[in-house]
Coordinates of all heavy atoms in Angstrom, one line a residue:
L1 N 16.7 -30.0 -25.0 CA 17.2 -29.3 -23.8 C 16.5 -27.9 -23.7 O 16.3 -27.3 -24.8 CB 18.7 -29.1 -23.9 CG 19.6 -30.3 -23.7 CD1 21.0 -29.9 -23.9 CD2 19.4 -30.9 -22.3
P2 N 16.3 -27.4 -22.6 CA 15.8 -26.0 -22.5 C 16.8 -25.1 -23.0 O 18.0 -25.3 -22.9 CB 15.6 -25.9 -20.9 CG 15.6 -27.2 -20.4 CD 16.4 -28.1 -21.3
M3 N 16.4 -23.9 -23.5 CA 17.3 -22.9 -24.0 C 18.3 -22.5 -23.0 O 19.5 -22.2 -23.3 CB 16.5 -21.7 -24.5 CG 15.8 -21.9 -25.9 SD 16.9 -22.4 -27.2 CE 17.7 -20.8 -27.5
S4 N 17.9 -22.5 -21.7 CA 18.8 -22.1 -20.7 C 20.0 -23.0 -20.5 O 21.0 -22.6 -19.9 CB 18.1 -21.9 -19.4 OG 17.5 -23.1 -19.0
D5 N 19.9 -24.3 -21.0 CA 21.0 -25.2 -20.9 C 21.9 -25.2 -22.1 O 22.9 -26.0 -22.1 CB 20.4 -26.6 -20.7 CG 19.7 -26.8 -19.4 OD1 20.0 -26.0 -18.5 OD2 18.9 -27.8 -19.2
L6 N 21.6 -24.4 -23.1 CA 22.4 -24.4 -24.3 C 23.4 -23.3 -24.2 O 23.2 -22.2 -23.7 CB 21.5 -24.1 -25.5 CG 20.4 -25.1 -25.8 CD1 19.5 -24.7 -27.0 CD2 21.0 -26.5 -26.1
V7 N 24.6 -23.6 -24.8 CA 25.7 -22.7 -24.8 C 25.7 -21.8 -26.0 O 25.6 -22.4 -27.1 CB 27.0 -23.5 -24.7 CG1 28.2 -22.6 -24.8 CG2 27.1 -24.3 -23.4
P8 N 25.8 -20.5 -25.9 CA 25.7 -19.6 -27.1 C 27.0 -19.9 -27.9 O 28.1 -19.9 -27.4 CB 25.7 -18.2 -26.5 CG 26.2 -18.3 -25.1 CD 25.9 -19.7 -24.7
L9 N 26.7 -20.0 -29.3 CA 27.8 -20.3 -30.2 C 27.8 -19.3 -31.4 O 26.7 -19.0 -31.9 CB 27.7 -21.7 -30.8 CG 28.6 -22.1 -31.9 CD1 30.0 -22.3 -31.3 CD2 28.1 -23.3 -32.6
A10 N 28.9 -18.7 -31.7 CA 29.0 -17.9 -32.9 C 29.8 -18.7 -34.0 O 30.8 -19.3 -33.6 CB 29.8 -16.6 -32.6
I11 N 29.4 -18.8 -35.2 CA 30.0 -19.5 -36.3 C 30.8 -18.4 -37.1 O 30.1 -17.5 -37.7 CB 29.0 -20.3 -37.1 CG1 28.4 -21.4 -36.2 CG2 29.7 -20.9 -38.3 CD1 27.2 -22.1 -36.9
V12 N 32.1 -18.6 -37.2 CA 32.9 -17.7 -38.1 C 33.4 -18.6 -39.2 O 34.3 -19.4 -39.0 CB 34.1 -17.2 -37.3 CG1 34.9 -16.2 -38.1 CG2 33.6 -16.5 -36.0
S13 N 32.8 -18.4 -40.4 CA 33.1 -19.3 -41.5 C 32.6 -18.8 -42.8 O 31.7 -18.0 -42.8 CB 32.5 -20.7 -41.1 OG 32.7 -21.6 -42.1
G14 N 33.0 -19.5 -43.9 CA 32.4 -19.2 -45.1 C 31.0 -20.0 -45.2 O 30.7 -20.8 -44.3
S15 N 30.3 -19.8 -46.2 CA 28.9 -20.3 -46.2 C 28.9 -21.8 -46.2 O 28.0 -22.4 -45.6 CB 28.1 -19.8 -47.4 OG 28.8 -20.1 -48.6
G16 N 29.8 -22.5 -46.9 CA 29.7 -24.0 -47.0 C 30.0 -24.6 -45.6 O 29.2 -25.4 -45.1
A17 N 31.1 -24.2 -45.0 CA 31.4 -24.7 -43.7 C 30.4 -24.3 -42.6 O 30.1 -25.1 -41.7 CB 32.8 -24.3 -43.2
A18 N 29.8 -23.1 -42.7 CA 28.8 -22.6 -41.8 C 27.6 -23.5 -41.8 O 27.1 -23.9 -40.7 CB 28.4 -21.2 -42.1
S19 N 27.2 -24.0 -43.0 CA 26.1 -24.9 -43.1 C 26.4 -26.2 -42.4 O 25.6 -26.8 -41.8 CB 25.7 -25.1 -44.5 OG 25.2 -23.9 -45.1
E20 N 27.6 -26.7 -42.6 CA 28.1 -27.9 -41.9 C 28.1 -27.8 -40.4 O 27.6 -28.7 -39.7 CB 29.5 -28.3 -42.4 CG 29.5 -28.8 -43.8 CD 28.8 -30.0 -44.1 OE1 28.8 -31.0 -43.2 OE2 28.1 -30.1 -45.2
Y21 N 28.5 -26.6 -39.9 CA 28.5 -26.4 -38.5 C 27.1 -26.4 -37.9 O 26.9 -26.9 -36.8 CB 29.2 -25.0 -38.1 CG 30.7 -25.0 -38.3 CD1 31.4 -23.8 -38.4 CD2 31.5 -26.2 -38.4 CE1 32.8 -23.8 -38.5 CE2 32.8 -26.2 -38.6 CZ 33.5 -25.0 -38.6 OH 34.9 -25.0 -38.8
V22 N 26.2 -25.8 -38.7 CA 24.8 -25.8 -38.2 C 24.3 -27.2 -38.1 O 23.6 -27.5 -37.1 CB 23.9 -24.9 -39.2 CG1 22.4 -25.1 -38.9 CG2 24.3 -23.5 -39.1
G23 N 24.6 -28.0 -39.1 CA 24.2 -29.4 -39.0 C 24.8 -30.2 -37.8 O 24.1 -31.0 -37.2
I24 N 26.0 -29.9 -37.4 CA 26.6 -30.5 -36.2 C 25.9 -30.0 -35.0 O 25.6 -30.8 -34.1 CB 28.1 -30.2 -36.2 CG1 28.8 -30.9 -37.3 CG2 28.7 -30.6 -34.8 CD1 30.2 -30.5 -37.5
V25 N 25.6 -28.7 -34.9 CA 24.9 -28.1 -33.7 C 23.5 -28.8 -33.6 O 23.1 -29.1 -32.5 CB 24.8 -26.6 -33.8 CG1 23.9 -26.0 -32.8 CG2 26.2 -26.0 -33.7
E26 N 22.8 -29.0 -34.7 CA 21.5 -29.6 -34.7 C 21.5 -31.1 -34.4 O 20.5 -31.6 -34.1 CB 20.8 -29.3 -36.0 CG 20.5 -27.8 -36.2 CD 19.9 -27.4 -37.5 OE1 19.9 -28.3 -38.4 OE2 19.3 -26.3 -37.6
N27 N 22.7 -31.7 -34.6 CA 22.8 -33.1 -34.3 C 24.0 -33.4 -33.5 O 25.0 -34.0 -33.9 CB 22.9 -33.9 -35.7 CG 22.9 -35.3 -35.6 OD1 22.3 -35.9 -34.6 ND2 23.5 -36.0 -36.5
P28 N 24.0 -33.0 -32.2 CA 25.2 -33.0 -31.3 C 25.5 -34.5 -30.9 O 24.7 -35.4 -30.9 CB 24.8 -32.2 -30.1 CG 23.3 -32.4 -30.0 CD 22.8 -32.4 -31.5
R29 N 26.8 -34.7 -30.7 CA 27.3 -36.0 -30.2 C 26.8 -36.2 -28.8 O 26.8 -35.3 -27.9 CB 28.8 -35.9 -30.2 CG 29.4 -37.2 -29.9 CD 30.9 -37.2 -30.2 NE 31.6 -38.4 -29.9 CZ 31.4 -39.5 -30.6 NH1 30.8 -39.5 -31.7 NH2 32.0 -40.7 -30.3
P30 N 26.3 -37.4 -28.5 CA 25.8 -37.7 -27.1 C 26.9 -37.4 -26.1 O 28.1 -37.7 -26.3 CB 25.5 -39.1 -27.1 CG 25.2 -39.4 -28.6 CD 26.1 -38.5 -29.4
G31 N 26.6 -36.7 -25.0 CA 27.5 -36.3 -24.0 C 28.3 -35.1 -24.3 O 29.1 -34.6 -23.5
G32 N 28.2 -34.5 -25.5 CA 28.9 -33.3 -25.9 C 28.2 -32.1 -25.5 O 27.1 -32.1 -25.0
T33 N 28.8 -31.0 -25.8 CA 28.2 -29.7 -25.5 C 27.0 -29.4 -26.4 O 27.1 -29.7 -27.6 CB 29.2 -28.5 -25.6 OG1 30.3 -28.8 -24.7 CG2 28.7 -27.2 -25.2
H34 N 26.0 -28.9 -25.9 CA 24.8 -28.6 -26.7 C 24.8 -27.0 -26.9 O 24.8 -26.3 -25.9 CB 23.5 -29.0 -26.1 CG 23.4 -30.5 -26.1 ND1 22.6 -31.2 -27.0 CD2 24.0 -31.5 -25.3 CE1 22.7 -32.5 -26.7 NE2 23.5 -32.7 -25.7
Y35 N 24.8 -26.6 -28.1 CA 24.9 -25.2 -28.5 C 23.6 -24.6 -29.0 O 22.8 -25.3 -29.6 CB 26.0 -25.0 -29.5 CG 27.4 -25.3 -29.0 CD1 28.1 -26.4 -29.4 CD2 28.1 -24.4 -28.2 CE1 29.4 -26.7 -29.0 CE2 29.4 -24.6 -27.8 CZ 30.0 -25.8 -28.2 OH 31.3 -26.1 -27.8
A36 N 23.5 -23.3 -28.8 CA 22.4 -22.5 -29.5 C 23.2 -21.5 -30.4 O 24.0 -20.8 -29.9 CB 21.5 -21.8 -28.6
I37 N 22.9 -21.5 -31.7 CA 23.6 -20.6 -32.5 C 23.2 -19.1 -32.2 O 22.0 -18.8 -32.3 CB 23.4 -20.9 -34.0 CG1 24.0 -22.3 -34.3 CG2 24.1 -19.9 -34.9 CD1 23.7 -22.9 -35.6
A38 N 24.1 -18.3 -31.8 CA 23.8 -16.9 -31.4 C 24.1 -15.9 -32.5 O 23.5 -14.8 -32.5 CB 24.6 -16.6 -30.1
A39 N 25.0 -16.3 -33.4 CA 25.4 -15.3 -34.4 C 26.2 -16.1 -35.5 O 26.8 -17.1 -35.2 CB 26.2 -14.2 -33.9
I40 N 26.2 -15.5 -36.7 CA 27.1 -15.9 -37.8 C 28.0 -14.7 -38.0 O 27.6 -13.5 -38.0 CB 26.3 -16.2 -39.1 CG1 25.2 -17.2 -38.8 CG2 27.2 -16.6 -40.2 CD1 25.7 -18.6 -38.6
V41 N 29.3 -15.0 -38.2 CA 30.3 -13.9 -38.5 C 30.9 -14.2 -39.8 O 31.4 -15.2 -40.1 CB 31.4 -13.9 -37.4 CG1 32.4 -12.8 -37.7 CG2 30.7 -13.7 -36.0
G42 N 30.8 -13.2 -40.7 CA 31.3 -13.3 -42.0 C 30.6 -12.3 -42.9 O 30.0 -11.4 -42.5
S43 N 30.7 -12.6 -44.2 CA 30.0 -11.7 -45.2 C 29.5 -12.5 -46.4 O 30.0 -13.6 -46.6 CB 30.9 -10.5 -45.6 OG 32.0 -11.1 -46.3
G44 N 28.6 -11.9 -47.1 CA 28.1 -12.5 -48.3 C 26.6 -12.9 -48.2 O 26.1 -13.0 -47.2
D45 N 26.1 -13.0 -49.4 CA 24.6 -13.3 -49.5 C 24.2 -14.6 -48.9 O 23.2 -14.7 -48.3 CB 24.1 -13.2 -51.0 CG 24.2 -11.8 -51.5 OD1 24.3 -10.8 -50.8 OD2 24.2 -11.7 -52.8
L46 N 25.1 -15.6 -49.1 CA 24.7 -17.0 -48.6 C 24.7 -17.0 -47.0 O 23.9 -17.6 -46.4 CB 25.7 -18.0 -49.1 CG 25.5 -18.3 -50.7 CD1 26.6 -19.3 -51.1 CD2 24.1 -18.8 -51.0
L47 N 25.7 -16.3 -46.4 CA 25.8 -16.3 -45.0 C 24.6 -15.4 -44.5 O 24.0 -15.7 -43.4 CB 27.1 -15.7 -44.5 CG 28.3 -16.7 -44.5 CD1 29.5 -16.0 -43.9 CD2 28.0 -17.9 -43.7
A48 N 24.3 -14.3 -45.2 CA 23.1 -13.5 -44.8 C 21.9 -14.3 -44.8 O 21.0 -14.2 -43.9 CB 23.0 -12.3 -45.7
D49 N 21.7 -15.1 -45.8 CA 20.5 -16.0 -46.0 C 20.5 -17.0 -44.8 O 19.4 -17.2 -44.2 CB 20.5 -16.7 -47.3 CG 19.3 -17.6 -47.5 OD1 18.2 -17.1 -47.4 OD2 19.5 -18.8 -47.7
L50 N 21.6 -17.6 -44.5 CA 21.7 -18.6 -43.4 C 21.3 -17.9 -42.1 O 20.5 -18.5 -41.3 CB 23.1 -19.2 -43.4 CG 23.3 -20.2 -42.2 CD1 22.4 -21.4 -42.4 CD2 24.8 -20.7 -42.2
A51 N 21.9 -16.8 -41.8 CA 21.6 -16.1 -40.6 C 20.1 -15.7 -40.5 O 19.5 -15.9 -39.4 CB 22.5 -14.8 -40.5
N52 N 19.6 -15.3 -41.6 CA 18.1 -14.9 -41.6 C 17.3 -16.2 -41.3 O 16.3 -16.1 -40.6 CB 17.8 -14.3 -43.0 CG 16.4 -13.8 -43.0 OD1 15.9 -13.1 -42.1 ND2 15.7 -14.1 -44.1
R53 N 17.6 -17.3 -42.0 CA 16.8 -18.5 -41.7 C 16.9 -19.0 -40.3 O 16.0 -19.5 -39.7 CB 17.3 -19.6 -42.7 CG 16.8 -19.4 -44.1 CD 17.1 -20.6 -45.0 NE 18.5 -20.6 -45.4 CZ 19.3 -21.7 -45.2 NH1 18.8 -22.8 -44.7 NH2 20.6 -21.7 -45.5
L54 N 18.1 -18.8 -39.7 CA 18.3 -19.2 -38.3 C 17.7 -18.1 -37.3 O 17.6 -18.4 -36.1 CB 19.8 -19.4 -38.0 CG 20.4 -20.6 -38.7 CD1 21.9 -20.5 -38.5 CD2 19.8 -21.9 -38.3
G55 N 17.4 -16.9 -37.8 CA 16.9 -15.9 -36.9 C 18.0 -15.3 -36.0 O 17.7 -14.9 -34.9
V56 N 19.3 -15.3 -36.5 CA 20.4 -14.8 -35.7 C 21.0 -13.6 -36.5 O 20.9 -13.6 -37.7 CB 21.4 -15.9 -35.4 CG1 20.8 -17.0 -34.6 CG2 22.1 -16.4 -36.6
P57 N 21.8 -12.8 -35.8 CA 22.4 -11.7 -36.5 C 23.6 -12.1 -37.3 O 24.3 -13.2 -37.0 CB 22.9 -10.7 -35.4 CG 22.9 -11.6 -34.1 CD 21.9 -12.7 -34.3
L58 N 23.9 -11.4 -38.4 CA 25.1 -11.6 -39.2 C 26.1 -10.4 -38.8 O 25.7 -9.3 -39.0 CB 24.8 -11.6 -40.7 CG 26.0 -11.7 -41.6 CD1 26.7 -13.1 -41.4 CD2 25.6 -11.5 -43.0
H59 N 27.2 -10.8 -38.3 CA 28.2 -9.7 -37.9 C 29.4 -9.8 -38.9 O 29.7 -10.9 -39.4 CB 28.8 -10.0 -36.5 CG 27.8 -9.9 -35.4 ND1 27.0 -8.7 -35.2 CD2 27.3 -10.8 -34.5 CE1 26.2 -9.0 -34.1 NE2 26.4 -10.2 -33.8
S60 N 30.0 -8.6 -39.2 CA 31.1 -8.6 -40.1 C 32.4 -8.9 -39.3 O 33.5 -9.2 -39.9 CB 31.2 -7.2 -40.7 OG 31.4 -6.2 -39.8
G61 N 32.4 -8.8 -38.0 CA 33.6 -9.1 -37.2 C 33.2 -9.7 -35.8 O 32.0 -9.8 -35.5
V62 N 34.1 -10.0 -35.0 CA 33.8 -10.6 -33.7 C 33.6 -9.6 -32.6 O 33.2 -9.9 -31.5 CB 34.9 -11.6 -33.2 CG1 34.9 -12.8 -34.2 CG2 36.2 -11.0 -33.1
S63 N 33.8 -8.3 -32.9 CA 33.7 -7.3 -31.8 C 32.3 -7.2 -31.2 O 32.1 -6.7 -30.1 CB 34.1 -5.9 -32.4 OG 33.2 -5.5 -33.4
D64 N 31.2 -7.6 -31.9 CA 29.9 -7.5 -31.4 C 29.5 -8.7 -30.6 O 28.4 -8.8 -30.0 CB 28.9 -7.3 -32.5 CG 29.0 -6.0 -33.1 OD1 29.4 -5.0 -32.4 OD2 28.7 -5.8 -34.3
L65 N 30.3 -9.7 -30.5 CA 30.0 -11.0 -29.7 C 30.1 -10.7 -28.2 O 31.0 -10.1 -27.8 CB 30.9 -12.1 -30.2 CG 30.9 -12.5 -31.6 CD1 31.8 -13.7 -31.9 CD2 29.5 -12.9 -32.1
A66 N 29.1 -11.3 -27.5 CA 29.1 -11.2 -26.1 C 30.2 -11.9 -25.5 O 30.6 -13.0 -25.9 CB 27.7 -11.7 -25.5
E67 N 30.7 -11.4 -24.4 CA 31.8 -12.1 -23.6 C 31.3 -13.4 -23.2 O 30.2 -13.6 -22.8 CB 32.2 -11.2 -22.4 CG 33.5 -11.6 -21.8 CD 34.0 -10.6 -20.8 OE1 34.2 -9.4 -21.2 OE2 34.2 -11.0 -19.6
G68 N 32.2 -14.4 -23.3 CA 31.9 -15.8 -22.9 C 31.2 -16.6 -24.0 O 31.0 -17.8 -23.9
T69 N 31.0 -16.0 -25.2 CA 30.4 -16.7 -26.3 C 31.4 -17.8 -26.8 O 32.6 -17.5 -26.9 CB 30.1 -15.8 -27.5 OG1 29.1 -14.9 -27.0 CG2 29.5 -16.5 -28.7
H70 N 31.0 -19.0 -27.1 CA 31.8 -20.0 -27.7 C 31.9 -19.7 -29.2 O 30.9 -19.2 -29.8 CB 31.3 -21.4 -27.5 CG 31.4 -21.8 -26.0 ND1 31.9 -23.0 -25.7 CD2 31.2 -21.2 -24.9 CE1 31.9 -23.2 -24.4 NE2 31.5 -22.0 -23.9
V71 N 33.0 -19.9 -29.8 CA 33.2 -19.6 -31.2 C 33.8 -20.8 -32.0 O 34.8 -21.4 -31.6 CB 34.2 -18.4 -31.4 CG1 34.4 -18.1 -32.8 CG2 33.7 -17.2 -30.6
A72 N 33.1 -21.1 -33.1 CA 33.6 -22.1 -34.0 C 34.1 -21.4 -35.3 O 33.4 -20.7 -35.9 CB 32.5 -23.1 -34.4
V73 N 35.4 -21.5 -35.6 CA 36.0 -20.8 -36.7 C 36.7 -21.8 -37.6 O 37.4 -22.7 -37.2 CB 37.0 -19.7 -36.2 CG1 38.1 -20.3 -35.4 CG2 37.5 -18.9 -37.4
S74 N 36.4 -21.7 -38.9 CA 37.1 -22.6 -39.9 C 38.5 -22.1 -40.0 O 38.9 -20.9 -39.9 CB 36.4 -22.5 -41.2 OG 36.3 -21.2 -41.8
G75 N 39.4 -23.1 -40.1 CA 40.8 -22.9 -40.0 C 41.4 -21.9 -41.0 O 42.5 -21.3 -40.8
D76 N 40.8 -21.8 -42.2 CA 41.3 -20.9 -43.2 C 40.6 -19.6 -43.4 O 40.8 -18.9 -44.3 CB 41.3 -21.7 -44.5 CG 39.9 -22.1 -45.0 OD1 39.0 -22.0 -44.2 OD2 39.8 -22.4 -46.2
H77 N 39.7 -19.3 -42.4 CA 38.9 -18.1 -42.5 C 39.8 -16.8 -42.3 O 40.6 -16.8 -41.4 CB 37.8 -18.1 -41.5 CG 36.7 -17.1 -41.8 ND1 36.8 -15.8 -41.4 CD2 35.5 -17.2 -42.5 CE1 35.7 -15.1 -41.9 NE2 34.9 -16.0 -42.5
P78 N 39.5 -15.7 -43.1 CA 40.3 -14.5 -42.9 C 40.2 -13.9 -41.6 O 41.1 -13.1 -41.2 CB 39.7 -13.6 -44.0 CG 39.0 -14.4 -45.0 CD 38.6 -15.7 -44.2
L79 N 39.2 -14.1 -40.8 CA 39.0 -13.5 -39.5 C 39.6 -14.4 -38.4 O 39.5 -14.1 -37.2 CB 37.5 -13.3 -39.2 CG 36.8 -12.3 -40.0 CD1 35.3 -12.3 -39.7 CD2 37.4 -10.9 -39.8
Q80 N 40.3 -15.4 -38.8 CA 40.9 -16.4 -37.8 C 41.8 -15.6 -36.7 O 41.6 -15.8 -35.5 CB 41.7 -17.5 -38.4 CG 42.2 -18.5 -37.5 CD 43.0 -19.6 -38.2 OE1 43.7 -19.3 -39.2 NE2 43.0 -20.8 -37.7
R81 N 42.7 -14.8 -37.2 CA 43.5 -14.0 -36.3 C 42.7 -13.1 -35.4 O 43.0 -13.0 -34.2 CB 44.6 -13.2 -37.0 CG 45.6 -14.1 -37.7 CD 46.6 -13.3 -38.5 NE 47.4 -14.2 -39.3 CZ 48.7 -14.4 -39.0 NH1 49.3 -13.9 -38.0 NH2 49.4 -15.2 -39.8
E82 N 41.7 -12.5 -35.9 CA 40.8 -11.6 -35.1 C 40.1 -12.4 -34.0 O 40.0 -12.0 -32.9 CB 39.8 -10.9 -36.0 CG 38.9 -10.0 -35.2 CD 37.8 -9.3 -36.1 OE1 38.1 -9.2 -37.3 OE2 36.8 -8.9 -35.6
V83 N 39.7 -13.6 -34.4 CA 39.0 -14.5 -33.4 C 40.0 -14.8 -32.3 O 39.7 -14.8 -31.1 CB 38.5 -15.7 -34.0 CG1 38.0 -16.7 -33.0 CG2 37.3 -15.3 -35.0
I84 N 41.2 -15.2 -32.6 CA 42.2 -15.6 -31.6 C 42.5 -14.5 -30.7 O 42.6 -14.6 -29.5 CB 43.5 -16.2 -32.3 CG1 43.2 -17.5 -33.0 CG2 44.6 -16.3 -31.3 CD1 44.2 -18.0 -33.9
A85 N 42.7 -13.3 -31.2 CA 42.9 -12.1 -30.4 C 41.8 -11.8 -29.5 O 41.9 -11.5 -28.3 CB 43.2 -10.9 -31.2
A86 N 40.5 -11.9 -30.0 CA 39.3 -11.7 -29.2 C 39.2 -12.7 -28.1 O 38.6 -12.4 -27.0 CB 38.1 -11.7 -30.1
M87 N 39.6 -13.9 -28.3 CA 39.5 -14.9 -27.3 C 40.3 -14.5 -26.0 O 39.8 -14.6 -24.9 CB 40.0 -16.3 -27.8 CG 39.1 -17.0 -28.7 SD 39.7 -18.6 -29.3 CE 38.4 -19.0 -30.4
A88 N 41.5 -13.9 -26.2 CA 42.3 -13.5 -25.1 C 41.7 -12.2 -24.5 O 41.7 -12.0 -23.3 CB 43.7 -13.3 -25.6
E89 N 41.3 -11.3 -25.4 CA 40.8 -10.0 -24.9 C 39.4 -9.9 -24.3 O 39.1 -9.2 -23.4 CB 40.9 -8.9 -26.0 CG 42.3 -8.7 -26.6 CD 42.3 -8.0 -27.9 OE1 41.2 -7.6 -28.4 OE2 43.4 -7.8 -28.5
R90 N 38.5 -10.8 -24.9 CA 37.1 -10.7 -24.6 C 36.5 -12.0 -24.0 O 35.3 -12.1 -24.0 CB 36.3 -10.2 -25.8 CG 36.9 -8.9 -26.3 CD 36.1 -8.2 -27.4 NE 34.7 -8.2 -27.1 CZ 33.8 -8.9 -27.8 NH1 34.1 -9.6 -28.9 NH2 32.5 -8.8 -27.5
S91 N 37.4 -12.9 -23.6 CA 36.9 -14.1 -23.0 C 36.0 -14.9 -23.9 O 35.0 -15.6 -23.4 CB 36.2 -13.9 -21.7 OG 37.1 -13.2 -20.8
L92 N 36.3 -14.9 -25.2 CA 35.6 -15.8 -26.1 C 36.2 -17.2 -25.9 O 37.3 -17.3 -25.6 CB 35.7 -15.4 -27.6 CG 35.1 -14.0 -27.9 CD1 35.3 -13.6 -29.4 CD2 33.6 -13.9 -27.5
V93 N 35.4 -18.2 -26.2 CA 35.8 -19.6 -25.9 C 35.8 -20.4 -27.1 O 34.8 -20.4 -27.9 CB 34.8 -20.2 -24.9 CG1 35.2 -21.7 -24.5 CG2 34.7 -19.4 -23.6
P94 N 36.9 -21.1 -27.4 CA 36.9 -22.0 -28.6 C 35.9 -23.1 -28.5 O 35.9 -23.7 -27.4 CB 38.3 -22.5 -28.7 CG 38.9 -22.3 -27.4 CD 38.2 -21.2 -26.7
A95 N 35.1 -23.4 -29.5 CA 34.2 -24.4 -29.5 C 34.7 -25.7 -30.2 O 35.5 -25.6 -31.1 CB 32.9 -24.0 -30.2
T96 N 34.4 -26.8 -29.7 CA 34.7 -28.1 -30.3 C 33.4 -28.7 -30.8 O 32.5 -29.0 -30.0 CB 35.4 -29.0 -29.3 OG1 36.6 -28.4 -28.8 CG2 35.8 -30.4 -29.9
L97 N 33.3 -28.9 -32.1 CA 32.1 -29.4 -32.7 C 32.5 -30.8 -33.3 O 33.4 -30.9 -34.2 CB 31.6 -28.5 -33.8 CG 31.2 -27.1 -33.4 CD1 30.8 -26.3 -34.6 CD2 30.1 -27.2 -32.4
I98 N 31.8 -31.8 -32.8 CA 32.1 -33.2 -33.3 C 30.7 -33.8 -33.7 O 29.8 -33.8 -32.9 CB 32.7 -34.1 -32.2 CG1 34.1 -33.5 -31.8 CG2 32.9 -35.5 -32.8 CD1 34.7 -34.2 -30.6
H99 N 30.6 -34.1 -35.0 CA 29.3 -34.6 -35.5 C 28.9 -35.9 -34.7 O 29.8 -36.7 -34.4 CB 29.4 -34.9 -37.0 CG 28.0 -35.1 -37.6 ND1 27.4 -36.3 -37.6 CD2 27.2 -34.2 -38.2 CE1 26.3 -36.2 -38.2 NE2 26.1 -35.0 -38.6
A100 N 27.7 -36.2 -34.5 CA 27.2 -37.3 -33.8 C 27.6 -38.6 -34.5 O 27.8 -39.7 -33.8 CB 25.7 -37.3 -33.6
D101 N 27.8 -38.6 -35.8 CA 28.1 -39.9 -36.5 C 29.6 -40.1 -36.5 O 30.0 -41.1 -37.1 CB 27.6 -39.8 -37.9 CG 26.1 -39.8 -38.0 OD1 25.4 -40.3 -37.0 OD2 25.5 -39.3 -39.0
T102 N 30.4 -39.3 -35.9 CA 31.9 -39.5 -35.9 C 32.2 -40.6 -35.0 O 31.8 -40.7 -33.9 CB 32.6 -38.2 -35.5 OG1 32.2 -37.1 -36.3 CG2 34.1 -38.3 -35.5
T103 N 33.1 -41.5 -35.5 CA 33.6 -42.6 -34.7 C 35.0 -42.1 -34.2 O 35.9 -41.8 -35.0 CB 33.8 -43.8 -35.5 OG1 32.5 -44.2 -36.1 CG2 34.4 -45.0 -34.7
I104 N 35.1 -42.2 -32.9 CA 36.4 -41.9 -32.3 C 37.0 -43.2 -31.7 O 36.5 -43.9 -30.9 CB 36.2 -40.9 -31.1 CG1 35.6 -39.6 -31.6 CG2 37.5 -40.6 -30.4 CD1 35.2 -38.5 -30.6
G105 N 38.2 -43.4 -32.3 CA 38.9 -44.7 -31.9 C 39.5 -44.6 -30.6 O 39.5 -43.6 -29.9
P106 N 40.2 -45.7 -30.2 CA 40.8 -45.8 -28.9 C 41.9 -44.8 -28.8 O 42.3 -44.2 -27.9 CB 41.4 -47.2 -28.8 CG 41.4 -47.7 -30.1 CD 40.4 -46.9 -30.9

């Protein structure tokens, strides 16, 4: 897809889950939303390395994310409450990531 057709996505997660999210974005489910990773939110050397490899900024919080950015946040991340508040205040959008190999039953 052309870059203009991709939805900007920020990943708010620890390094392990962030890598899984990147894999899902790179292998989207047919008919699902196609994302372009716009930022990684978190801290630590592994996340910094991941952001560097992807060529995206690493933010320590969600305050720098552009309005309308879709956000994937792991459920146990310390910034989860900040993300929820920012969704209401700054029009951030919750992202749904489903791996292409996932089977969804009836």
Side-chain angles (χ1 to χ4, degrees):
L1 289 175
M3 286 299 287
S4 61
D5 291 343
L6 300 177
V7 175
L9 175 73
I11 296 173
V12 182
S13 179
S15 58
S19 295
E20 291 295 322
Y21 289 164
V22 169
I24 293 169
V25 168
E26 292 175 346
N27 188 25
R29 185 169 181 76
T33 303
H34 291 259
Y35 294 103
I37 299 172
I40 305 288
V41 180
S43 62
D45 292 341
L46 294 175
L47 282 180
D49 180 58
L50 178 61
N52 187 47
R53 285 187 286 126
L54 295 171
V56 300
L58 175 66
H59 298 298
S60 60
V62 296
S63 61
D64 293 328
L65 299 179
E67 196 167 300
T69 298
H70 288 226
V71 180
V73 59
S74 58
D76 61 344
H77 196 276
L79 293 174
Q80 183 181 30
R81 289 177 191 252
E82 181 182 334
V83 171
I84 292 168
M87 285 180 182
E89 296 167 4
R90 302 189 48 244
S91 300
L92 299 180
V93 181
T96 301
L97 300 177
I98 302 172
H99 194 277
D101 293 338
T102 302
T103 300
I104 299 176

